[in-house]
Amino acid sequence: MKYTYKFRLYPTQEQRVKLGETLELCRRTYNRFLSQINETDEIPKRTNLQFQLPEMKKRDSDLKQVYSKVLQMVLYQLYSNLRSLSKLKKNGRKIGRLRYKDKGWFKTFTYNQSGFKIIKTNNRLDKLHLSKIGDIPIRVHREIEGKIKQITIKRTNSGKWFACICVEKRPQQEKSIKSAIGIDVGITYFATDSDGRQIENPHNLEKSLGRLRKEQQKLSRKRKGSENYEKQRKKVAKLHEKIKNQRDDFLHKLSRHYVDNYDLIAVEDLNVKEMIGNNHLSRYISDASWSKFVRYLSYKAESAGKMVVKVDPKGTSQEHKHGELDRDYNASLNILERGMKEIGMGRAESTLVETEPLLHLSSQDVITGQVQSSKQEAPAKA
């Protein structure tokens, strides 16, 4: 299985310039190849265009500043985008042509198989060696497990640099199922599970919306391209990043709790894209990021030898097999039952907790690791 680590880079000013120049040369290469493809009736093979790279370097000496594998991966990225367009067309979507990348729109470049090395320093910051760029300080905040296959360098809108390190790991052997849980996601409560917990939705976007609107209004009043515009653009980008980081932190910690404590996790197979079409709820659904939560659950479970099962969401709240319970709690019990049936384990045995109030937890409880493994472990209230 493939696994990606994301680490912050701390390049010097000189290295920032080199990284920026590499991005710009990759952008130009992408646009050149796209131009060739657009001028032909039939898309040529990727290898045919790849053979042109040595000649392109002779004509444009600036390209010699970029490691050869990086330029090859630019071409790979272009063909990957073409495949995505083709897939959309097959699914009946109306599509146009790929757009050329303007300045600022090209955010990543990739070293595949070679041209990189992580150098341990026994200090807070290690070094990431990138061919043609140099040794960049990197904060490796956790141990890298598995064989490194490629490294993607990414610049965010706020100007920060990150290394996304893709490794190949052996999949864990699936463990026997001794504990299982069903999770119903929602807007008021982000998650209600079959063990009787209700976890509030952090509403990260909603809490920062006022400030975000003010900063975006300030940006709209600046002259595009000016220094003041660029400063304000970075302010807005940093605020968006903060919201995203808060959301991801919550989702990572909640998904980690469930994977650490349960062998089987049943969730609804929701069509979130269709649900976002609801104009009244689209912002709240997008902010909740249910799809990302399930994605985090899935890859963490796979890495730990656990199992995530997606079940049909139809009627999970309407079926009252367990009596008149809280709507979301009732749904979580039905989700668990469907998940157990999905893997052929029959009806799930659940201890109903509706005789007492459900255990309500704040998003801060999740972030600080105060989620109890079961309702019975909750501390008694005075």
Side-chain angles (χ1 to χ4, degrees):
M1 61 175 290
K2 288 185 178 178
Y3 196 90
T4 302
Y5 297 88
K6 186 178 179 182
F7 300 126
R8 175 83 183 270
L9 294 173
Y10 295 90
T12 63
Q13 185 55 41
E14 184 182 348
Q15 289 170 339
R16 284 177 180 273
V17 172
K18 283 186 179 180
L19 290 167
E21 287 174 348
T22 302
L23 269 184
E24 175 59 18
L25 290 168
C26 287
R27 182 189 74 86
R28 279 163 44 185
T29 304
Y30 181 96
N31 286 344
R32 282 177 188 173
F33 282 128
L34 179 57
S35 181
Q36 284 191 48
I37 290 170
N38 286 341
E39 289 170 2
T40 58
D41 295 327
E42 191 173 335
I43 297 174
K45 289 184 178 179
R46 180 166 62 90
T47 50
N48 292 346
L49 294 185
Q50 191 167 301
F51 289 142
Q52 297 180 19
L53 283 171
E55 191 61 34
M56 286 172 64
K57 284 187 175 182
K58 289 178 184 178
R59 294 197 304 268
D60 186 351
S61 59
D62 287 344
L63 290 177
K64 293 178 183 178
Q65 300 173 34
V66 184
Y67 185 61
S68 57
K69 283 272 189 178
V70 172
L71 292 176
Q72 291 173 19
M73 289 303 292
V74 170
L75 193 55
Y76 179 86
Q77 181 181 347
L78 173 58
Y79 273 73
S80 178
N81 292 342
L82 288 169
R83 284 193 296 272
S84 297
L85 270 187
S86 178
K87 191 175 179 181
L88 287 173
K89 189 175 181 180
K90 285 179 182 177
N91 291 337
R93 297 283 295 276
K94 242 182 140 180
I95 62 166
R97 289 189 169 192
L98 282 182
R99 295 180 181 179
Y100 293 101
K101 300 289 185 182
D102 291 331
K103 283 190 176 182
W105 283 92
F106 211 89
K107 301 286 195 306
T108 65
F109 59 88
T110 300
Y111 284 77
N112 185 47
Q113 303 290 349
S114 62
F116 56 82
K117 184 181 179 182
I118 294 178
I119 304 166
K120 292 290 184 181
T121 63
N122 295 322
N123 295 320
R124 181 175 177 274
L125 296 178
D126 294 314
K127 300 283 186 180
L128 172 63
H129 173 77
L130 296 177
S131 183
K132 303 278 188 174
I133 294 175
D135 297 343
I136 304 173
I138 181 173
R139 176 79 170 96
V140 182
H141 59 268
R142 57 185 298 193
E143 187 180 348
I144 299 173
E145 298 175 1
K147 185 179 179 181
I148 300 177
K149 304 299 287 183
Q150 70 178 33
I151 295 181
T152 296
I153 306 302
K154 179 178 181 180
R155 181 178 64 191
T156 65
N157 287 332
S158 65
K160 294 176 184 175
W161 291 89
F162 291 89
C164 301
I165 301 176
C166 180
V167 302
E168 199 167 60
K169 295 170 66 174
R170 289 183 180 179
Q172 289 285 331
Q173 187 175 358
E174 282 193 4
K175 298 178 181 178
S176 57
I177 297 173
K178 297 177 182 177
S179 56
I181 196 160
I183 304 173
D184 177 62
V185 293
I187 292 175
T188 303
Y189 291 104
F190 179 85
T192 303
D193 63 41
S194 55
D195 270 4
R197 283 177 294 245
Q198 284 193 314
I199 299 161
E200 73 172 18
N201 197 323
H203 294 298
N204 296 301
L205 177 60
E206 199 69 19
K207 289 173 183 176
S208 300
L209 199 57
R211 185 182 166 199
L212 185 60
R213 281 173 174 161
K214 284 180 183 177
E215 296 298 339
Q216 285 177 328
Q217 283 174 354
K218 288 180 185 178
L219 179 63
S220 68
R221 297 188 186 108
K222 308 291 182 188
R223 182 170 57 83
K224 198 168 184 178
S226 67
E227 287 187 16
N228 286 335
Y229 179 90
E230 186 59 20
K231 285 180 184 177
Q232 187 61 31
R233 185 196 65 78
K234 284 189 176 181
K235 269 190 182 180
V236 173
K238 283 179 181 178
L239 188 51
H240 276 293
E241 269 183 35
K242 182 181 178 182
I243 295 167
K244 178 184 178 296
N245 290 340
Q246 288 173 333
R247 182 186 298 124
D248 287 352
D249 185 48
F250 170 79
L251 296 177
H252 273 300
K253 286 174 178 173
L254 184 59
S255 57
R256 172 53 60 196
H257 165 77
Y258 282 120
V259 170
D260 284 349
N261 289 285
Y262 298 94
D263 302 314
L264 171 69
I265 303 163
V267 294
E268 291 177 302
D269 188 11
L270 297 172
N271 186 344
V272 176
K273 284 186 179 179
E274 189 175 293
M275 295 170 74
I276 288 175
N278 183 327
N279 293 331
H280 300 291
L281 298 175
S282 59
R283 190 173 75 215
Y284 302 102
I285 294 171
S286 298
D287 188 28
S289 293
W290 298 328
S291 295
K292 185 179 277 191
F293 174 62
V294 173
R295 200 160 64 244
Y296 286 178
L297 278 175
S298 299
Y299 86 75
K300 284 180 171 69
E302 185 181 5
S303 182
K306 308 290 184 77
M307 188 184 298
V308 172
V309 179
K310 297 179 183 179
V311 304
D312 183 1
K314 189 176 180 181
T316 53
S317 298
Q318 283 73 41
E319 292 180 5
H320 293 276
K321 299 178 181 179
H322 312 280
E324 291 301 318
L325 307 173
D326 174 270
R327 177 187 173 91
D328 295 336
Y329 176 53
N330 174 72
S332 70
L333 292 170
N334 290 330
I335 291 166
L336 174 59
E337 185 173 323
R338 291 183 188 186
M340 297 290 277
K341 286 182 179 178
E342 187 79 21
I343 61 170
M345 290 193 68
R347 183 165 179 157
E349 293 292 332
S350 299
T351 303
L352 299 181
V353 298
E354 188 65 10
T355 52
E356 299 177 35
L358 296 176
L359 176 60
H360 297 300
L361 298 167
S362 69
S363 56
Q364 195 61 32
D365 291 330
V366 174
I367 292 167
T368 56
Q370 300 301 310
V371 182
Q372 290 79 28
S373 294
S374 68
K375 184 178 186 295
Q376 286 69 32
E377 293 180 22
K381 294 183 179 179

